[in-house]
Amino acid sequence: MSSRYVPYATTPGRLLAQLTSDAVVVVWTIVWVLVGLAVHSAVSSIAAVGRQLNDGATGVSDNLNSAGDSTDDVPLIGEALSKPLRAASRAALDIAGAGHSLDSTATWLAVVLGLAVAAPPILFVGLPWLVLRIRFFRRKWTALTLAATPAGEQLLALRALANRPLAKLAAVSIDPVGAWRRDDAIAIRGLANLELRSSGIRRK
């Protein structure tokens, strides 16, 4: 794959900084994802209690209702016995409904709280990192595209004359501006390389 398509610098210092920032962002993201999962798990345990309450109360309600049906056949006192059993069955159903509501609410809350805890710190670090990496990639792409043509190389050399320190310009040519005006190919290439290195690109 051409280095133009790789979103990393080819100069050692810039490359090391990028790899370090990548590692920091990955570790930071993993840590906060684990924290978010821990919060989700803690709140989900409340939902588990609600499910258990729903299942248990539903079972009790069914048993009481069955007992009420059975007592209907008892002579004389069957109806008197079945009424409290069916009332208790309805009360158990109310408890089951509360358990179901607790389960639903806690399940939804577990997701919301997990995201609320994990997302802000991840975005706080991740978004600036992503913006910087996209900006670097666009700058690298543009610089390499310019360096591929004589006119683009002259433009890079001109930018180097405007932006690079005087000591670095003098290291390329005693008279860098005059060399650029004379269209000195060696000096122009050296100046363009200065601008490329400032973008994290080392041309072979």
Side-chain angles (χ1 to χ4, degrees), residues 6-23 129 132-141 143 164 168 193-202:
V6 178
Y8 287 98
T10 53
T11 54
R14 180 73 68 86
L15 177 60
L16 179 61
Q18 288 178 338
L19 293 175
T20 301
S21 69
D22 288 356
W129 168 84
L132 290 174
R133 293 308 298 276
I134 292 174
R135 184 181 300 171
F136 168 80
F137 179 74
R138 291 180 61 186
R139 184 179 180 186
K140 178 183 177 182
W141 177 277
R164 297 307 114 212
K168 291 187 177 182
N193 286 340
L194 277 181
E195 190 63 23
L196 288 172
R197 280 196 294 273
S198 74
S199 300
I201 304 165
R202 184 173 59 184

Side-chain angles (χ1 to χ4, degrees), residues 156-165 169 195:
L156 289 173
L158 182 60
R159 282 182 58 86
L161 289 173
N163 298 322
R164 297 307 114 212
L169 296 177
E195 190 63 23

Side-chain angles (χ1 to χ4, degrees), residues 1 30 34 53 66 76 186 191 202:
M1 181 182 290
I30 290 174
L34 293 176
L53 182 61
S66 296
L76 300 178
I186 296 177
L191 291 171
R202 184 173 59 184

Side-chain angles (χ1 to χ4, degrees), residues 38-82:
V39 171
H40 179 275
S41 178
V43 179
S44 292
S45 63
I46 300 174
V49 172
R51 284 191 294 272
Q52 292 174 357
L53 182 61
N54 178 36
D55 294 342
T58 299
V60 170
S61 175
D62 291 342
N63 292 334
L64 289 172
N65 197 49
S66 296
D69 292 340
S70 299
T71 56
D72 276 339
D73 298 331
V74 177
L76 300 178
I77 61 171
E79 185 177 352
L81 290 175
S82 65

